[in-house]
Amino acid sequence: ALLQYLRAAGGYDAAVSLFATELDRFESSGAMALGKDSRSNTAALSQLRKLCGRLFLQIGRYDDAEKVLLLALTSDREIQGEASPEVGATFALLAETLRSSVSA
């Protein structure tokens, strides 16, 4: 479903550019800089990074996926703790990325 939407919306390059722009905007937003509800902001940023990581994984940009997922993993560990299901899910997505990059 995601890939069909991306094709209709202008392709992968347009989606990657949009994700990068939104991540940059969110990271540099006043709320993040001022620390307003920083836990929620960090969690939201982690979710955006995971979405971006999934996109990179689906289009075969494994190195980019790994980088952004490692950032998400760091945030998830900080917010949720090592034993949380969210950290486990992020590890699983990272593992899928690494498996895919080896078999590519």
Side-chain angles (χ1 to χ4, degrees):
L2 176 61
L3 292 176
Q4 291 171 341
Y5 172 78
L6 294 175
R7 286 184 192 116
Y12 306 130
D13 292 335
V16 168
S17 177
L18 179 61
F19 268 126
T21 300
E22 289 304 309
L23 278 172
D24 289 344
R25 187 177 63 80
F26 191 82
E27 286 176 325
S28 64
S29 73
M32 288 295 285
L34 295 174
K36 294 181 181 174
D37 198 11
S38 63
R39 190 173 176 92
S40 294
N41 287 335
T42 303
L45 182 58
S46 178
Q47 291 300 319
L48 286 173
R49 286 176 172 151
K50 285 183 268 194
L51 283 172
C52 194
R54 284 186 188 98
L55 171 63
F56 285 143
L57 173 61
Q58 289 188 356
I59 65 175
R61 290 179 57 178
Y62 305 117
D63 289 340
D64 292 327
E66 181 181 355
K67 288 174 190 171
V68 86
L69 290 171
L70 285 171
L71 291 171
L73 181 62
T74 300
S75 297
D76 287 347
R77 284 174 152 170
E78 177 184 311
I79 295 169
Q80 307 286 336
E82 287 291 325
S84 79
E86 192 68 29
V87 169
T90 305
F91 264 122
L93 186 56
L94 185 58
E96 181 182 350
T97 300
L98 296 174
R99 268 194 311 270
S100 296
S101 69
V102 169
S103 63

